[in-house]
Amino acid sequence: EMQQAYGDIRKHVLHTQQMVCSLETGENTTMELQGQISSNINTLDRLLVNLQSMLAVYDGADKTTWRIKVENETAGVAELRESITQYMTRESQLERERHDREELFRRVRGTGADREKEHRAGMEGESLDRSMQEAERILESGTGILGSLHDQREMLKSIKRKVLGVTNALGLTRSLMRVIERRQDGDKWIVYGGLSLIHI
């Protein structure tokens, strides 16, 4: 019975050693294989406990030999557990380093994008400043034009008043001239009438 239990342990140990070798050489690094190795080691732990309990009650002359065999297998299973633990630790560290590099790259890339955004924002700000300055210049020019138009309007009003004054004066003069002309015509007929009476 002990021989059979020992044979089961040896079979599981050899199979697990092969899987660990495939894992460490990179031939097969799947999570499925890692899970199988861990499961085999747990099974070996149970088989060793069973063998050790059998050895405790064993009274054969070769008990010492069996004790050495059990100790060797126990050490072998411990080495397997250490191998898979170290492998998982290395993989975890490598994964963490990969993650850190990706995070650093993302930050650097993000910083570049932020700088590009700041550059574009600065250019847009400068363009807006130039537009505001141009708008102020146009506004000042428009204000000057409005002021000039106002001055011209006042000047035209003044000219209009002068023209109206001159026109009124001319109208008065023309009326007076017509009165004088009518008076001269009347005087002329009076003279003609007087001369006619004299001849008669």
Side-chain angles (χ1 to χ4, degrees):
E1 187 175 358
M2 285 185 62
Q3 186 65 44
Q4 183 178 356
Y6 178 76
D8 290 341
I9 290 174
R10 288 301 303 160
K11 184 168 60 178
H12 277 80
V13 167
L14 291 174
H15 183 54
T16 305
Q17 285 175 342
Q18 291 175 354
M19 290 192 293
V20 170
C21 182
S22 297
L23 186 67
E24 290 180 339
T25 58
E27 181 180 349
N28 186 351
T29 58
T30 62
M31 295 300 297
E32 181 181 359
L33 179 63
Q34 296 178 39
Q36 289 177 355
I37 293 172
S38 298
S39 177
N40 280 10
I41 291 174
N42 292 333
T43 299
L44 284 168
D45 285 337
R46 290 193 299 271
L47 292 175
L48 281 171
V49 169
N50 183 50
L51 184 60
Q52 288 169 353
S53 64
M54 292 171 64
L55 179 62
V57 296
Y58 183 68
D59 292 332
D62 55 351
K63 185 174 183 176
T64 301
T65 302
W66 277 111
R67 181 180 293 110
I68 294 173
K69 288 183 178 181
V70 171
E71 289 175 354
N72 288 338
E73 295 305 322
T74 301
V77 172
E79 289 179 1
L80 291 173
R81 181 181 293 105
E82 181 66 19
S83 296
I84 189 64
T85 300
Q86 289 180 357
Y87 177 84
M88 290 182 173
T89 301
R90 287 195 304 269
E91 284 299 305
S92 177
Q93 183 176 356
L94 290 173
E95 179 63 25
R96 187 164 52 250
E97 290 175 355
R98 284 194 294 268
H99 178 270
D100 291 343
R101 284 196 299 270
E102 291 175 358
E103 180 67 18
L104 179 60
F105 179 73
R106 186 187 65 80
R107 290 180 179 177
V108 171
R109 184 172 54 191
T111 301
D114 292 340
R115 289 175 180 172
E116 180 64 22
K117 290 180 181 178
E118 291 177 359
H119 177 67
R120 287 199 299 267
M123 293 181 64
E124 291 175 357
E126 292 177 359
S127 177
L128 180 60
D129 290 340
R130 289 194 296 270
S131 298
M132 291 296 293
Q133 291 174 2
E134 183 65 17
E136 290 178 358
R137 187 187 65 78
I138 293 173
L139 182 60
E140 291 176 357
S141 177
T143 302
I145 291 172
L146 289 175
S148 177
L149 290 174
H150 181 269
D151 293 341
Q152 292 179 11
R153 182 184 177 189
E154 293 299 322
M155 182 177 65
L156 290 173
K157 285 183 178 180
S158 177
I159 293 172
K160 182 180 179 181
R161 286 194 295 269
K162 291 180 180 179
V163 170
L164 288 175
V166 171
T167 301
N168 292 332
L170 289 174
L172 179 60
T173 302
R174 287 179 184 147
S175 298
L176 183 59
M177 289 294 292
R178 284 195 294 271
V179 171
I180 293 172
E181 287 176 354
R182 286 196 297 271
R183 180 67 177 271
Q184 287 177 346
D185 289 341
D187 291 342
K188 182 178 66 174
W189 288 111
I190 291 172
V191 171
Y192 288 159
L195 291 174
S196 297
L197 290 173
I198 292 173
H199 285 296
I200 293 173

